[in-house]
């Protein structure tokens, strides 16, 4: 059976940053990339808010550079998904989808949280070309334009008000006749003049052409009538699922399924197991914060091994 000092699960900005630091600290990290090598940024086009890229860079290109940097210091990056872990004994055990079992002195969980999508063909078609899962990331591209956002919870309300500051008009599409968001967020939405609520409605199709999104067709679930909204951007804010199924019962998760970490650190409920990036953060959800906590996780792992 193979034994490693540091096992990193996940290959997004958090995992690769942890890998760069762990490799340079001589922890000889082994990383399993998972089903989405490079993580969520591989499904977006332009990334303009990651420091160090003054001209912007595409998500896939940026993640290749992360990988190159982690590999340069000796990270063993492997294709494959970790399907099972056991943190009840030391060393910890992990099983990959090729059946291989690895024991590890420390584990860094960097499995992210997947954005939920509506599942429309047209949504997939225009992904990164007007369809986005992140207003903070992509709102800037639609300054002064009309956009639509779908969702009714706190995140959707937060993102709608964020977009309203940048965009000419925001259609907020919600399948019910009242938002699920907190009273305070509902109040904020109601008092933002350029947000127009599209109640009792669901998106049927994202409309577009070679230039990207041009509109969204919504159906009123009460009347059955459809209408087209003319928009440049379509934001999906119907929630995220933390990729933590395999960690259930192994480390403490919060009520939404995110890995619980000690505030200001990446330590989990199990000594020697650390979590970084979106898998433990449902608030910031940015590449730079994921990278920051990846760095923290590797430093904490190194100190744990040295202690
Ligand atoms: C459309 C879109 C656009 C975005 N644009 C920006 C932007 O412009 N700027 C910005 O800062 N942020 C942006 N974000 C947010 C950003 O992508 C995330 O905050 C960031 O990727 C989180 O990094 P992470 O490493 O925590 O997780 P992720 O990037 O989600 O990576 C998780 C990794 O874990 C792996 N994994 C999961 N389960 C397993 C398993 N069982 N075994 C092995 N591996 C596993 C996956 O394969 C993946 O590699 C965007 C997000 C989306 C969806």
């Amino acid at each position: 059976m193979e034994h490693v000092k540091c096992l990193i699960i996940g290959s997004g900005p958090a995992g690769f940053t942890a890998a760069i630091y762990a490799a340079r600290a001589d922890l000889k990290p082994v990383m399993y990339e998972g089903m989405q090598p490079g993580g969520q940024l591989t499904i977006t086009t332009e990334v303009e808010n990651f420091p160090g890229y003054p001209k912007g860079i595409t998500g896939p290109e940026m993640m290749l550079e992360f990988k190159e940097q982690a590999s340069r210091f000796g990270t063993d990056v492997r294709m494959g998904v970790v399907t099972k872990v056991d943190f009840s004994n030391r060393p910890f055990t992990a099983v990959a989808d090729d059946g291989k079992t690895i024991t590890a002195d420390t584990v860094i969980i960097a499995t992210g949280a997947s954005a939920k999508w509506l599942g429309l063909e047209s949504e997939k078609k225009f992904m990164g070309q007007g369809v986005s899962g992140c207003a903070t990331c992509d709102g800037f591209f639609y300054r002064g334009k009309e956009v639509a956002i779908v969702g009714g919870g706190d995140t959707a309300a937060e993102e709608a008000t964020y977009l309203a500051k940048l965009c000419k008009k925001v259609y907020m599409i919600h399948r019910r006749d009242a938002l699920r968001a907190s009273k305070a967020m509902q109040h904020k939405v109601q008092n933002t003049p350029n947000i127009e609520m599209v109640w009792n409605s669901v998106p049927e199709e994202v409309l577009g052409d070679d230039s990207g999104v041009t509109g969204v067709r919504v159906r009123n679930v009460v009347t059955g009538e459809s209408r087209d909204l003319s928009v440049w951007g379509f934001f999906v804010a119907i929630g995220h699922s933390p990729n933590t199924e395999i960690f259930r019962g192994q480390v403490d998760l919060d009520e939404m399924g995110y890995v619980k970490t000690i505030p200001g650190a990446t330590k989990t409920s199990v000594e020697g197991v650390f979590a970084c990036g979106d898998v433990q953060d449902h608030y910031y959800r940015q590449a730079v914060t994921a990278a920051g906590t990846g760095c923290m996780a590797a430093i904490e792992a190194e100190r744990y091994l040295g202690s």
Side-chain angles (χ1 to χ4, degrees), residues 10-14 33-36 40 49 82 111 137 277-278 285-287:
S11 59
E33 287 186 304
M35 56 294 178
Q36 191 176 43
Q40 290 174 67
N49 54 9
V82 172
T111 49
C137 313
D278 287 10
R285 289 203 307 257
Q286 293 296 293

Side-chain angles (χ1 to χ4, degrees), residues 58-104:
T58 70
E61 270 180 294
M62 186 167 117
M63 293 320 298
L64 280 180
E65 296 206 351
F66 271 62
K67 183 173 180 176
E68 195 182 320
Q69 194 171 353
S71 301
R72 182 181 149 212
F73 299 111
T75 306
D76 182 350
V77 182
R78 298 179 184 175
M79 272 164 46
V81 175
V82 172
T83 53
K84 201 173 165 207
V85 293
D86 182 356
F87 297 155
S88 59
N89 292 305
R90 270 150 236 270
F92 306 119
T93 311
V95 182
D97 57 352
D98 60 2
K100 191 172 173 127
T101 301
I102 291 184
T103 56

Side-chain angles (χ1 to χ4, degrees), residues 194-264:
N194 60 337
I195 297 181
E196 180 180 323
M197 289 307 306
V198 184
W199 296 117
N200 295 317
S201 297
V202 290
E204 273 189 324
E205 198 180 343
V206 183
L207 309 170
D209 55 27
D210 289 347
S211 67
V213 168
T214 56
V216 57
R217 179 161 302 149
V218 290
R219 181 172 47 86
N220 186 303
V221 291
V222 177
T223 64
E225 278 167 21
S226 294
R227 70 164 165 139
D228 294 350
L229 307 172
S230 180
V231 294
W232 295 71
F234 178 61
F235 290 85
V236 180
I238 56 173
H240 283 77
S241 305
N243 300 315
T244 52
E245 255 332 292
I246 58 166
F247 307 113
R248 202 166 279 283
Q250 300 292 330
V251 289
D252 288 352
L253 306 179
D254 69 13
E255 64 286 354
M256 291 182 283
Y258 287 81
V259 177
K260 273 190 184 173
T261 48
I262 291 174

Side-chain angles (χ1 to χ4, degrees), residues 31-61:
M31 169 191 280
Y32 274 88
E33 287 186 304
M35 56 294 178
Q36 191 176 43
Q40 290 174 67
L41 283 183
T42 57
I43 60 162
T44 190
T45 44
E46 213 56 20
V47 178
E48 291 194 331
N49 54 9
F50 199 88
Y53 296 100
K55 297 187 178 71
I57 183 164
T58 70
E61 270 180 294

Side-chain angles (χ1 to χ4, degrees), residues 273-287:
V273 177
F274 305 90
C276 50
D278 287 10
V279 74
Q280 51 85 58
D281 163 31
H282 52 81
Y283 188 77
Y284 298 106
R285 289 203 307 257
Q286 293 296 293

